[in-house]
Amino acid sequence: MASLVAYDDSDSEAESEPMGNFDAAGQMKDTCDVVKPCGQDFASGVLDVMEGATKQGSCESPAGEHLPLARLWRRDPGSCPSQRLQWPRTEPEVTFPTSEPPHPSLWTSHAPAGHVPLAAARFKQVKLSWGTFDLSEPSLRAHTKSESPGENGSSLPKKRREDCVVPYIPKRLRQLQALSTETGKSPDVEAQGPSAGRTPGPLCMAPRVSEFIQPYLDTPYKETQIARKVLFYLRGHRGPVNSIQWCPVSSRSHMFLSASMDKTFKVWNAVDSGSCLQTYSLHSEAVRAARWSPCGQRILSGGFDCALHLTDLETGTQIFSGQSNFRVTTLKFHPKDHSLFVCGGFGSEIKAWDVRSSKVVRSYKATIQQTLDILFLQEGSEFLSSTDASSRDSADRTIIAWDFRSSARISNQIFHERYTCPSLALHPREPVFLAQTNGNYLALFSAVWPYRMSRRRRYEGHKVEGYSVGCECSPDGDLLVTGSADGRALLYCFRTASRARTLHGHTQACVGTTFHPVLPSVLATCSWEGDIKIWH
């Protein structure tokens, strides 16, 4: 509220009536005041009128009457304003909260709804109609006071109390706001979800399609647009995020999966609000890999506790639970038979499981110590595995092609350089695949036998440095994206191998990148520091 100031002027008596009258107790009767709702603390500065008339520094009118002054809150108590007070003719507009907070827009909101302070999310700033003040100066910042008679000993004038209408705020809302004010954090920063050792609750899987995804469902995928700025900043993991993936079902592709070293994996709404829908704490050790099922209703997870879990999101129950004899680092569903999946990790073999019988149906043995990634080819009849073998005679173990049904090796002479390949990616339209190498480049290979590597095309400019840096192709195949050990995310043109854009998004290694399967301009990245960013 603006401060009231009286000046030595000849016509001050004529203007004293609109400005307010003072009674014998020195209190001003004001009919044009803005009422602050109970429990609301405005973030922006608002000038407060001192409740009692200032006894010091009064001015006299020519008629000899003493006019009280309202002191502006400044460092210098003796300073006087240099502009004449302009009292508004109409009351200022005050906007009160509605029953539901407004839904953030995809193109205007850049922060998750779970991280906006509750007071700022439900209340809008009071609009002052009598002028524009520079509230950035420390001398003019707000010093909000409680207007309750029991706290400061003085009550508002009776007429003022009768004219004011204060909206009712529920007790739960007041408690949450008080908690956020005391701790300095939003009460819903932590995502909804069970604690460690408890059964996760069902996830709300309503058949609702995001309003931003709906226009793209009935049209073919358009040309991928290069992401430029951050849409959402997803925080909630307490450890490095190992893998991220959008829901493969187009109508539910607003849901987003992330697995972390903090022993949990989370499901987010990464298109509409940026909020966490559910947290799953099923593993006793780090969750190294988590994948959506092709139907979009289940999540397969594996971790360093050697456990495998297939969780139904609608009921929260475990459809399948298995125990491997090695720590799991990679998981992939069979592209045709969705009841089969392949897993690898810190072991000398790769295993194929059947969730219907909860048993291992095939084993793929090789003289290796760790499987880094798995990639299916030829609609599931073949798959590739990358290993950590990087010695002088390791050309037959770095990348191996397997026949899925017979468990036989198709080729073991694919990559002949002394670098490991932490991740593999298949091109969506051409029979080629990409291999991320610790030589700080992306290598291009043919996806059919004999799987020859291209010597003419190589994607360079990023750093791997031993991290499990992921790579991926855009749905139309025109762009490639890869993370980097220095926190960057780089986009390359697939045809020319030239760099299209560099995104400086993280302070630590960017280990995961993925394009949205429907929206042509949305990209997700995750880092070793535990944060996730949604770009558009």
Side-chain angles (χ1 to χ4, degrees), residues 110-410:
H110 304 287
H115 308 291
V116 178
L118 192 59
R122 291 185 173 268
F123 297 98
K124 295 184 179 180
Q125 183 180 353
V126 177
K127 299 180 180 179
L128 303 179
S129 60
W130 55 80
T132 303
F133 296 91
D134 186 8
L135 301 180
S136 60
E137 299 181 4
S139 60
L140 298 180
R141 289 182 181 174
H143 293 268
T144 56
K145 299 180 181 179
S146 174
E147 297 183 356
S148 175
E151 295 181 2
N152 52 13
S154 61
S155 61
L156 295 176
K158 182 178 180 181
K159 184 176 180 58
R160 180 178 178 181
R161 292 198 302 266
E162 293 176 353
D163 295 340
C164 299
V165 178
V166 180
Y168 172 73
I169 301 177
K171 181 178 179 182
R172 184 182 65 85
L173 179 60
R174 295 197 302 269
Q175 292 176 349
L176 292 177
Q177 182 179 351
L179 178 62
S180 63
T181 304
E182 294 177 0
T183 61
K185 298 180 180 179
S186 177
D188 52 350
V189 168
E190 279 299 321
Q192 302 177 1
S195 58
R198 296 178 58 187
T199 304
L203 180 66
C204 180
M205 298 284 291
R208 181 184 63 87
V209 181
S210 171
E211 58 180 344
F212 305 110
I213 298 177
Q214 180 67 44
Y216 297 91
L217 295 180
D218 300 331
T219 59
Y221 188 89
K222 298 181 180 180
E223 180 182 1
T224 303
Q225 302 174 10
I226 299 177
R228 297 179 181 272
K229 56 184 178 180
V230 177
L231 175 64
F232 292 122
Y233 193 5
L234 309 183
R235 293 179 178 176
H237 285 294
R238 300 185 182 91
V241 179
N242 297 312
S243 64
I244 53 178
Q245 185 189 9
W246 297 98
C247 182
V249 180
S250 299
S251 60
R252 296 181 177 180
S253 58
H254 61 281
M255 293 191 296
F256 184 76
L257 172 65
S258 62
S260 173
M261 300 288 284
D262 62 358
K263 307 177 185 180
T264 66
F265 60 93
K266 296 176 180 285
V267 178
W268 311 75
N269 184 343
V271 171
D272 299 308
S273 61
S275 60
C276 183
L277 303 178
Q278 187 64 279
T279 301
Y280 298 86
S281 303
L282 306 176
H283 297 267
S284 59
E285 298 293 338
V287 181
R288 184 62 180 82
R291 304 290 298 179
W292 287 97
S293 64
C295 64
Q297 298 180 354
R298 304 170 182 176
I299 293 178
L300 178 65
S301 60
F304 285 177
D305 56 353
C306 305
L308 296 166
H309 296 288
L310 183 62
T311 307
D312 186 86
L313 300 183
E314 294 183 352
T315 61
T317 59
Q318 304 301 308
I319 299 177
F320 159 80
S321 293
Q323 194 73 19
S324 178
N325 58 356
F326 53 79
R327 291 183 290 176
V328 179
T329 59
T330 179
L331 295 168
K332 290 294 173 64
F333 275 99
H334 193 275
K336 291 297 183 181
D337 190 350
H338 300 165
S339 61
L340 301 176
F341 70 90
V342 178
C343 72
F346 289 89
S348 60
E349 59 182 355
I350 301 171
K351 294 185 178 181
W353 290 74
D354 192 331
V355 298
R356 294 166 295 189
S357 60
S358 300
K359 295 181 179 180
V360 177
V361 294
R362 294 180 186 87
S363 295
Y364 309 86
K365 299 181 179 180
T367 56
I368 57 174
Q369 295 181 352
Q370 180 184 356
T371 302
L372 302 177
D373 199 6
I374 295 173
L375 179 65
F376 274 99
L377 303 175
Q378 305 294 332
E379 298 183 349
S381 60
E382 305 172 6
F383 72 91
L384 301 172
S385 65
S386 62
T387 70
D388 64 345
S390 60
S391 60
R392 182 172 298 179
D393 56 347
S394 63
D396 60 338
R397 298 195 303 272
T398 304
I399 298 179
I400 304 174
W402 303 86
D403 183 85
F404 178 76
R405 296 187 177 277
S406 63
S407 304
R409 296 186 188 182
I410 299 175

Side-chain angles (χ1 to χ4, degrees), residues 331-535:
L331 295 168
K332 290 294 173 64
F333 275 99
H334 193 275
K336 291 297 183 181
D337 190 350
H338 300 165
S339 61
L340 301 176
F341 70 90
V342 178
C343 72
F346 289 89
S348 60
E349 59 182 355
I350 301 171
K351 294 185 178 181
W353 290 74
D354 192 331
V355 298
R356 294 166 295 189
S357 60
S358 300
K359 295 181 179 180
V360 177
V361 294
R362 294 180 186 87
S363 295
Y364 309 86
K365 299 181 179 180
T367 56
I368 57 174
Q369 295 181 352
Q370 180 184 356
T371 302
L372 302 177
D373 199 6
I374 295 173
L375 179 65
F376 274 99
L377 303 175
Q378 305 294 332
E379 298 183 349
S381 60
E382 305 172 6
F383 72 91
L384 301 172
S385 65
S386 62
T387 70
D388 64 345
S390 60
S391 60
R392 182 172 298 179
D393 56 347
S394 63
D396 60 338
R397 298 195 303 272
T398 304
I399 298 179
I400 304 174
W402 303 86
D403 183 85
F404 178 76
R405 296 187 177 277
S406 63
S407 304
R409 296 186 188 182
I410 299 175
S411 178
N412 57 2
Q413 299 290 329
I414 300 175
F415 189 56
H416 299 276
E417 300 186 17
R418 295 179 57 186
Y419 299 115
T420 57
C421 300
S423 62
L424 305 172
L426 183 66
H427 195 275
R429 297 185 179 181
E430 296 189 10
V432 295
F433 72 91
L434 294 160
Q436 182 77 268
T437 71
N438 271 297
N440 298 330
Y441 65 88
L442 281 168
L444 185 65
F445 296 84
S446 172
V448 295
W449 189 86
Y451 313 102
R452 297 187 182 276
M453 184 178 69
S454 175
R455 299 289 181 178
R456 298 181 179 179
R457 197 182 304 177
R458 181 175 290 187
Y459 307 87
E460 299 176 320
H462 58 283
K463 298 180 180 179
V464 180
E465 297 179 355
Y467 288 97
S468 182
V469 177
C471 60
E472 190 179 275
C473 299
S474 62
D476 61 353
D478 293 337
L479 293 176
L480 307 179
V481 63
T482 177
S484 181
D486 53 9
R488 298 177 298 162
L490 291 86
L491 289 91
Y492 297 95
C493 179
F494 173 73
R495 300 292 180 185
T496 62
S498 60
R499 190 183 306 180
R501 180 168 291 275
T502 300
L503 302 176
H504 301 271
H506 303 278
T507 57
Q508 297 188 26
C510 178
V511 295
T513 55
T514 178
F515 286 99
H516 194 277
V518 177
L519 298 175
S521 63
V522 177
L523 172 71
T525 61
C526 66
S527 74
W528 197 252
E529 59 188 331
D531 60 343
I532 304 168
K533 288 188 177 182
I534 309 298
W535 304 75

